[in-house]
Amino acid sequence: MSKDYYIIPIFVPHLGCPHDCVFCNQKRITGKSTDMTKEKADNIIREHLKTIPKMDRQLEIAFYGGSFTAISYDSQRELLDVAYKYKKKGIVNRIRLSTRPDYIDERELLLLKEYGVDIIELGVQSLDEEVLFHSGRGHGSEAVYSASKLIKEYGFGLGLQMMIGLPGDNREKSLFTAKEIVKMDPICVRIYPTLVIVDTYLEKMYLGDKYKPLSLEEAVDISTDLLMIFTYSNIDVIRIGLQPTDNITLGKDVIAGPFHPAFRQLVESNIYKIILEEYFNQENLYDIDELTFEVNKKDISNLAGQNSNNINF
């Protein structure tokens, strides 16, 4: 029997980040403030542990949001020391953090190794130079290649996050980024369609008719290709679409863009639709009045599709 997997998230939104990317408002996205301390981090861990079964589990502490390695070494040590304490006691299995590619170097990796960090996720967003520039990332693609190589050389698990629909982006550029990510051989990937969040420069661009977000259909279509590319390459896609919250929804902090509370299911259902369509065409089944499909229980909802879209199809 496989063990249940649990993540204890510690949000350090925008803490230490030297840039304001056009799409970013970490306070809105995470719903958290920036004043994370070692005391608060320890309390978050203890409160989560109370709700998690003690048997048959894999447990991870993850520092999300902002740019962890851009904060001071003293602050990094304080937060990492809290997590490492639980790892040394065998209470948690892994420590993960997310950061920017241009804030990774050998000194930083030695520090993270000292405190038992296992997985480093980089916010890649795109590997197209024009998209990086128009998104205000503050670095070029070479920073991604260099940081990814260094992370793997130091024995960390590499995670890469990409976005679609950024300013200057298109389908071809997104597919290029995905194929380049495959070459870097990460252990996991996240795919985020760009949303227009309140109090961002992208909101100003959108309201000024200088930016047009992807439609939901376009975002699902592109993400379908990306998921198939990564799945074919045996790379685990651990998230597709921003996590819905009370505020991260259309009409609240999301001004525009391809938001859907079950975005991943839309993408996975679309893959089933593609498979069905190819099979129907190949076997010429359109004149048959009734067909029966057998599918694993866990795949029933994806085969049927959101609101039975695939059944209707």
Side-chain angles (χ1 to χ4, degrees), residues 217-236:
E217 183 179 357
E218 289 171 330
V220 169
D221 186 46
I222 296 171
S223 297
T224 296
D225 283 348
L226 300 182
L227 179 56
M228 289 194 288
I229 287 171
F230 293 133
T231 301
Y232 180 80
S233 303
N234 295 313
I235 297 172
D236 189 17

Side-chain angles (χ1 to χ4, degrees), residues 10-16 27 31-41 44 79:
I10 299 176
F11 293 98
V12 284
H14 223 62
L15 186 61
K27 291 182 184 179
K32 309 291 181 181
S33 63
T34 60
D35 57 344
M36 180 56 64
T37 63
K38 62 180 181 180
E39 291 80 13
K40 288 184 178 181
I44 289 169
L79 293 174

